[in-house]
Amino acid sequence: MAQAAWPDKPIKLVVPYPAGGNADTTARLLATQLSARLGQPVVVDNRPGGGGSIGAAAVAKAPADGLTLLLDATAFTVNPSLLPKLPYDAARDFAPVSLVTRVPLLLVVPAQSPFRTVAELVNAARAAPGRLSYASAGNGGAQHLAGEMFKQGAKVSMTHIPYRGGAPALTDLAGGQVDLMFSATTASGPFVKGGKLRALAITAPQRTEGWTALPTMAESGVAGYQVYEWNGLFAPAGTPKAVLERLEAETRAAVASEELKKRFADIGVQGVGSSAAEFGQFLASETAKWAGVIRSAGIRAD
């Protein structure tokens, strides 16, 4: 009877990042849809800190009743390799519900850069190992790891310049203080369209709507290269099967709705709405990929 009545109380959706970012925006759009579909308020609760681990830990320890959920991001699959003493087991303590959104990255250079293709950039990096610099929003983040994955795939040496956030990194890149950067289309796209940066490739496995003239990294000679920033929905492990199935179905329906399709398109993210099984496979693949990159590069958390 209790399961049949779910949800009988408001649902808390924990976002382990500050308000105003991509994860927070995605969570609030999804929460509005889920509130209407489930008949209970879905309230976003921002709990930033620890690279996302503080909020995730709170959900891992919450009652498995479907009333406390997690909207997490790329760091969920990075932290197990980057942070040696996580207060939870990412593979064991959560039930994946759905991959909600994803965003490919652009390989961008200053508008005045001599590089017009990835091949030209790779050739220059090989000719002068360590001379080219790439910016990121901080050590261990998606942009840093995308750069390290590029270095390993293209077999080049470059110097990492970490910033305190993506905005100052993009500003310095546009000013020519650094040579290149991997940055989500949502962040770097306006710089490219405004003529301040030049995009050389996109990190999706195929050409992408809105960027169809731009080759993929694989087309540009870096085989198997694929990077997304993403947001996905989780529940605590042990949540009743019936609750998880309803949550999965309602989340997928919400992401497929015309309202969310339009809102996601407006902010430049791709709605996915995967099954729980597909999301679980994606998480395992991403965790293994980033573990290999982090191990090979010897990356440590700040």
Side-chain angles (χ1 to χ4, degrees):
M1 291 293 291
Q3 286 184 32
W6 181 87
D8 58 346
K9 296 177 183 176
I11 295 169
K12 181 189 296 181
L13 179 55
V14 174
V15 177
Y17 308 101
N22 272 352
D24 178 67
T25 301
T26 298
R28 292 179 190 279
L29 291 173
L30 180 63
T32 300
Q33 284 282 326
L34 289 180
S35 295
R37 292 172 181 277
L38 295 172
Q40 286 286 350
V42 178
V43 181
V44 173
D45 180 10
N46 297 93
R47 295 201 190 181
S53 64
I54 291 175
V59 176
K61 295 169 185 171
D65 55 9
L67 298 178
T68 303
L69 306 173
L70 175 69
L71 194 289
D72 214 326
T74 312
F76 185 89
T77 53
V78 173
N79 285 343
S81 298
L82 191 66
L83 304 176
K85 295 183 179 179
L86 278 182
Y88 55 84
D89 184 313
R92 187 188 64 213
D93 293 341
F94 300 91
V97 176
S98 181
L99 177 62
V100 179
T101 61
R102 65 184 183 186
V103 184
L105 283 61
L106 299 176
L107 170 49
V108 283
V109 298
Q112 68 274 23
S113 170
F115 307 126
R116 294 190 171 274
T117 66
V118 175
E120 290 176 359
L121 191 155
V122 167
N123 288 338
R126 288 175 178 167
R131 185 181 67 80
L132 293 184
S133 59
Y134 71 100
S136 80
N139 193 48
Q143 298 156 351
H144 178 198
L145 297 181
E148 288 296 333
M149 189 172 162
F150 173 56
K151 285 169 58 178
Q152 293 170 20
K155 297 180 173 57
V156 296
S157 174
M158 301 186 302
T159 300
H160 175 222
I161 310 293
Y163 285 77
R164 292 187 177 274
L170 285 166
T171 299
D172 269 13
L173 179 66
Q177 267 77 23
V178 284
D179 296 302
L180 65 134
M181 182 177 179
F182 286 88
S183 173
T185 54
T186 47
S188 57
F191 284 80
V192 174
K193 291 174 180 177
K196 294 180 179 179
L197 296 177
R198 178 187 303 136
L200 304 186
I202 196 163
T203 64
Q206 64 279 318
R207 297 202 180 202
T208 301
E209 185 178 352
W211 301 96
T212 50
L214 203 57
T216 67
M217 290 292 290
E219 285 178 306
S220 303
V222 188
Y225 192 100
Q226 177 180 323
V227 178
Y228 285 104
E229 292 188 18
W230 56 268
N231 294 130
L233 187 64
F234 301 80
T239 299
K241 185 171 182 282
V243 171
L244 290 174
E245 288 175 346
R246 171 123 192 254
L247 192 55
E248 176 188 350
E250 298 293 3
T251 300
R252 299 186 76 184
V255 174
S257 70
E258 290 304 316
E259 170 68 14
L260 263 195
K261 280 183 181 177
K262 180 181 184 304
R263 297 300 299 274
F264 285 157
D266 287 345
I267 62 173
V269 303
Q270 302 171 0
V272 181
S274 75
S275 70
E278 290 166 340
F279 188 27
Q281 292 166 0
F282 173 81
L283 291 168
S285 172
E286 288 287 288
T287 301
K289 176 175 76 179
W290 295 131
V293 170
I294 289 168
R295 184 171 55 250
S296 295
I299 298 171
R300 297 180 183 276
D302 289 332

